[in-house]
Protein backbone atom coordinates (compact mmCIF):
# COMPACT_ATOMS: atom_id res chain seq x y z
CA UNK A 1 0.00 0.00 0.00
CA UNK A 2 1.37 3.42 -0.97
CA UNK A 3 1.82 6.36 1.39
CA UNK A 4 -0.86 8.21 -0.55
CA UNK A 5 -3.37 5.38 0.04
CA UNK A 6 -2.47 5.28 3.74
CA UNK A 7 -2.96 9.05 4.02
CA UNK A 8 -6.38 8.86 2.38
CA UNK A 9 -7.48 5.97 4.59
CA UNK A 10 -6.28 7.86 7.67
CA UNK A 11 -8.13 11.02 6.52
CA UNK A 12 -11.36 9.08 6.01
CA UNK A 13 -10.99 7.52 9.45
CA UNK A 14 -10.03 10.75 11.23
CA UNK A 15 -12.33 13.24 9.50
CA UNK A 16 -15.06 11.28 7.69
CA UNK A 17 -17.78 11.46 10.35
CA UNK A 18 -17.20 15.12 11.21
CA UNK A 19 -17.01 16.06 7.55
CA UNK A 20 -20.25 14.23 6.80
CA UNK A 21 -22.01 15.98 9.70
CA UNK A 22 -20.71 19.35 8.50
CA UNK A 23 -21.99 18.71 4.96
CA UNK A 24 -25.29 17.24 6.18
CA UNK A 25 -25.98 20.41 8.14
CA UNK A 26 -25.83 22.40 4.90
CA UNK A 27 -27.80 20.21 2.46
CA UNK A 28 -31.32 18.84 2.40
CA UNK A 29 -30.79 15.06 2.33
CA UNK A 30 -28.38 12.37 3.44
CA UNK A 31 -27.98 11.39 -0.21
CA UNK A 32 -26.82 14.89 -1.13
CA UNK A 33 -24.37 14.85 1.78
CA UNK A 34 -23.03 11.44 0.76
CA UNK A 35 -22.58 12.59 -2.85
CA UNK A 36 -20.67 15.69 -1.78
CA UNK A 37 -18.54 13.71 0.66
CA UNK A 38 -17.68 11.28 -2.11
CA UNK A 39 -16.66 14.23 -4.30
CA UNK A 40 -14.37 15.48 -1.51
CA UNK A 41 -12.68 12.09 -1.18
CA UNK A 42 -12.36 11.86 -4.96
CA UNK A 43 -10.66 15.26 -5.09
CA UNK A 44 -8.27 14.19 -2.32
CA UNK A 45 -7.46 11.00 -4.20
CA UNK A 46 -6.51 13.05 -7.28
CA UNK A 47 -3.77 14.91 -5.44
CA UNK A 48 -0.38 13.47 -6.31
CA UNK A 49 1.29 14.12 -2.95
CA UNK A 50 -1.18 14.36 -0.09
CA UNK A 51 1.72 15.03 2.31
CA UNK A 52 2.02 18.51 0.76
CA UNK A 53 -1.33 19.54 2.30
CA UNK A 54 -0.29 21.29 5.50
CA UNK A 55 -3.68 21.43 7.24
CA UNK A 56 -5.54 18.42 5.90
CA UNK A 57 -8.62 18.97 8.08
CA UNK A 58 -8.93 22.60 6.95
CA UNK A 59 -8.36 21.60 3.34
CA UNK A 60 -11.08 18.94 3.50
CA UNK A 61 -13.63 21.32 5.01
CA UNK A 62 -12.78 24.01 2.46
CA UNK A 63 -13.25 21.56 -0.40
CA UNK A 64 -16.54 20.39 1.15
CA UNK A 65 -17.77 23.99 1.47
CA UNK A 66 -16.86 24.65 -2.17
CA UNK A 67 -18.65 21.48 -3.30
CA UNK A 68 -21.77 22.53 -1.37
CA UNK A 69 -21.70 25.95 -3.04
CA UNK A 70 -21.12 24.40 -6.48
CA UNK A 71 -24.05 22.04 -6.01
CA UNK A 72 -26.29 24.86 -4.82
CA UNK A 73 -25.35 27.03 -7.79
CA UNK A 74 -25.91 24.20 -10.23
CA UNK A 75 -29.38 23.54 -8.87
CA UNK A 76 -30.11 27.25 -8.81
CA UNK A 77 -29.03 27.58 -12.45
CA UNK A 78 -31.60 24.90 -13.28
CA UNK A 79 -34.14 26.88 -11.26
CA UNK A 80 -33.25 30.04 -13.19
CA UNK A 81 -33.75 28.19 -16.47
CA UNK A 82 -37.30 27.57 -15.31
CA UNK A 83 -37.74 31.24 -14.44
CA UNK A 84 -36.57 32.27 -17.89
CA UNK A 85 -37.94 29.61 -20.20
CA UNK A 86 -40.85 27.82 -18.52
CA UNK A 87 -43.73 27.99 -20.98
CA UNK A 88 -46.39 27.29 -18.36
CA UNK A 89 -45.29 29.76 -15.73
CA UNK A 90 -45.24 33.40 -16.76
CA UNK A 91 -46.10 35.03 -20.03
CA UNK A 92 -44.00 38.18 -20.18
CA UNK A 93 -43.65 41.10 -22.53
CA UNK A 94 -41.38 41.24 -25.55
CA UNK A 95 -38.82 43.17 -23.52
CA UNK A 96 -38.78 40.48 -20.83
CA UNK A 97 -35.47 40.17 -19.03
CA UNK A 98 -33.21 37.15 -19.35
CA UNK A 99 -31.35 35.91 -16.26
CA UNK A 100 -29.03 33.90 -18.48
CA UNK A 101 -27.28 37.15 -19.38
CA UNK A 102 -26.17 37.49 -15.76
CA UNK A 103 -25.36 33.82 -15.28
CA UNK A 104 -23.21 33.72 -18.41
CA UNK A 105 -21.07 36.74 -17.52
CA UNK A 106 -17.31 36.22 -17.78
CA UNK A 107 -15.92 34.75 -14.53
CA UNK A 108 -12.48 36.26 -15.19
CA UNK A 109 -13.89 39.79 -14.89
CA UNK A 110 -14.11 40.98 -11.23
CA UNK A 111 -17.19 43.11 -11.95
CA UNK A 112 -18.98 40.14 -13.47
CA UNK A 113 -18.08 37.93 -10.52
CA UNK A 114 -19.47 40.59 -8.17
CA UNK A 115 -22.69 40.87 -10.17
CA UNK A 116 -23.19 37.09 -10.07
CA UNK A 117 -22.57 36.96 -6.31
CA UNK A 118 -25.10 39.72 -5.67
CA UNK A 119 -27.58 37.99 -7.96
CA UNK A 120 -27.27 34.66 -6.09
CA UNK A 121 -27.68 36.41 -2.74
CA UNK A 122 -30.77 38.24 -3.97
CA UNK A 123 -32.27 35.06 -5.39
CA UNK A 124 -31.96 33.25 -2.07
CA UNK A 125 -33.26 36.32 -0.21
CA UNK A 126 -36.25 36.46 -2.57
CA UNK A 127 -36.98 32.79 -1.94
CA UNK A 128 -37.06 33.53 1.80
CA UNK A 129 -39.64 36.27 1.19
CA UNK A 130 -42.17 33.89 -0.35
CA UNK A 131 -45.06 32.52 1.71
CA UNK A 132 -43.94 29.19 3.13
CA UNK A 133 -46.31 27.05 1.03
CA UNK A 134 -45.19 28.74 -2.23
CA UNK A 135 -41.53 28.56 -1.27
CA UNK A 136 -41.83 24.90 -0.31
CA UNK A 137 -43.49 23.92 -3.60
CA UNK A 138 -40.89 25.89 -5.54
CA UNK A 139 -37.97 24.31 -3.63
CA UNK A 140 -39.37 20.79 -3.92
CA UNK A 141 -40.00 21.18 -7.63
CA UNK A 142 -36.88 23.09 -8.65
CA UNK A 143 -34.22 22.05 -6.15
CA UNK A 144 -35.32 18.56 -5.26
CA UNK A 145 -36.58 17.66 -8.74
CA UNK A 146 -39.99 16.51 -7.57
CA UNK A 147 -42.77 16.74 -10.11
CA UNK A 148 -45.76 18.86 -9.27
CA UNK A 149 -47.85 15.68 -9.23
CA UNK A 150 -45.48 14.07 -6.70
CA UNK A 151 -45.79 17.15 -4.49
CA UNK A 152 -49.58 17.03 -4.72
CA UNK A 153 -49.59 13.33 -3.83
CA UNK A 154 -47.21 13.81 -0.88
CA UNK A 155 -49.01 16.84 0.57
CA UNK A 156 -52.56 15.69 -0.15
CA UNK A 157 -53.23 18.97 -1.95
CA UNK A 158 -54.95 19.22 -5.31
CA UNK A 159 -52.61 19.42 -8.30
CA UNK A 160 -54.20 22.72 -9.35
CA UNK A 161 -53.33 24.18 -5.93
CA UNK A 162 -49.71 23.07 -6.28
CA UNK A 163 -49.50 24.49 -9.82
CA UNK A 164 -50.98 27.75 -8.59
CA UNK A 165 -48.48 28.03 -5.72
CA UNK A 166 -45.59 27.37 -8.08
CA UNK A 167 -46.93 29.96 -10.52
CA UNK A 168 -47.23 32.62 -7.82
CA UNK A 169 -43.69 31.87 -6.65
CA UNK A 170 -42.27 32.15 -10.17
CA UNK A 171 -44.13 35.41 -10.82
CA UNK A 172 -42.91 36.90 -7.56
CA UNK A 173 -39.31 35.87 -8.18
CA UNK A 174 -39.44 37.31 -11.68
CA UNK A 175 -40.84 40.60 -10.43
CA UNK A 176 -38.45 40.76 -7.46
CA UNK A 177 -35.34 39.92 -9.47
CA UNK A 178 -36.27 42.09 -12.45
CA UNK A 179 -35.40 45.17 -10.37
CA UNK A 180 -31.93 43.79 -9.75
CA UNK A 181 -31.59 42.82 -13.40
CA UNK A 182 -32.46 46.33 -14.54
CA UNK A 183 -29.95 47.81 -12.10
CA UNK A 184 -27.25 45.62 -13.64
CA UNK A 185 -28.22 46.72 -17.14
CA UNK A 186 -27.47 50.29 -16.08
CA UNK A 187 -24.20 49.17 -14.45
Amino acid sequence: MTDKSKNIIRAVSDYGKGLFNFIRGKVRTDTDAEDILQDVWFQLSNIDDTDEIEQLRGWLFKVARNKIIDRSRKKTEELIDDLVYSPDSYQGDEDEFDFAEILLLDDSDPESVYIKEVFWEELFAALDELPENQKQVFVWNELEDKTLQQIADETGEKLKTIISRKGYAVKYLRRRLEILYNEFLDY
Side-chain angles (χ1 to χ4, degrees):
M1 185 178 299
T2 66
D3 286 342
K4 178 180 173 179
S5 297
K6 289 177 187 176
N7 287 344
I8 293 171
I9 292 170
R10 189 170 347 118
V12 170
S13 174
D14 292 349
Y15 307 115
K17 186 174 183 180
L19 197 56
F20 176 81
N21 290 335
F22 168 77
I23 296 166
R24 182 60 184 100
K26 306 225 180 294
V27 298
R28 294 195 169 275
T29 66
D30 285 347
T31 303
D32 288 343
E34 291 165 358
D35 289 346
I36 291 170
L37 184 59
Q38 183 177 359
D39 290 344
V40 172
W41 296 132
F42 181 74
Q43 188 164 337
L44 179 63
S45 72
N46 284 328
I47 294 185
D48 291 330
D49 188 2
T50 55
D51 288 329
E52 289 183 9
I53 302 173
E54 291 182 26
Q55 297 291 327
L56 183 59
R57 183 180 185 281
W59 184 90
L60 290 169
F61 279 82
K62 182 178 180 180
V63 170
R65 189 171 29 258
N66 290 340
K67 297 288 183 189
I68 292 165
I69 291 168
D70 290 347
R71 184 182 207 88
S72 173
R73 284 185 176 162
K74 180 181 177 199
K75 288 194 175 212
T76 304
E77 286 173 8
E78 293 168 3
L79 166 151
I80 295 299
D81 286 344
D82 182 64
L83 285 176
V84 175
Y85 300 111
S86 177
D88 61 342
S89 60
Y90 172 80
Q91 302 301 319
D93 299 335
E94 288 179 18
D95 55 35
E96 183 178 305
F97 60 96
D98 183 0
F99 290 114
E101 288 180 40
I102 293 174
L103 296 174
L104 298 175
L105 290 173
D106 182 12
D107 283 337
S108 65
D109 175 33
E111 290 177 19
S112 297
V113 170
Y114 171 74
I115 289 171
K116 281 183 179 181
E117 287 175 4
V118 170
F119 180 77
W120 291 120
E121 289 172 13
E122 287 297 315
L123 174 65
F124 288 116
L127 282 170
D128 287 338
E129 294 168 1
L130 288 171
E132 189 58 34
N133 59 5
Q134 292 175 18
K135 176 183 175 182
Q136 196 62 58
V137 167
F138 191 87
V139 167
W140 284 334
N141 183 240
E142 295 298 333
L143 299 180
E144 296 181 12
D145 295 325
K146 291 184 180 182
T147 66
L148 296 176
Q149 184 63 57
Q150 287 173 319
I151 296 168
D153 293 344
E154 289 175 13
T155 62
E157 299 277 352
K158 294 180 181 178
L159 179 60
K160 287 184 178 184
T161 301
I162 299 301
I163 291 169
S164 177
R165 288 178 183 166
K166 169 80 184 292
Y168 285 125
V170 168
K171 287 177 185 177
Y172 177 78
L173 292 171
R174 283 179 167 277
R175 202 168 42 251
R176 169 73 159 65
L177 296 173
E178 183 175 22
I179 296 165
L180 180 65
Y181 177 82
N182 289 333
E183 286 177 14
F184 287 142
L185 281 181
D186 296 335
Y187 185 71

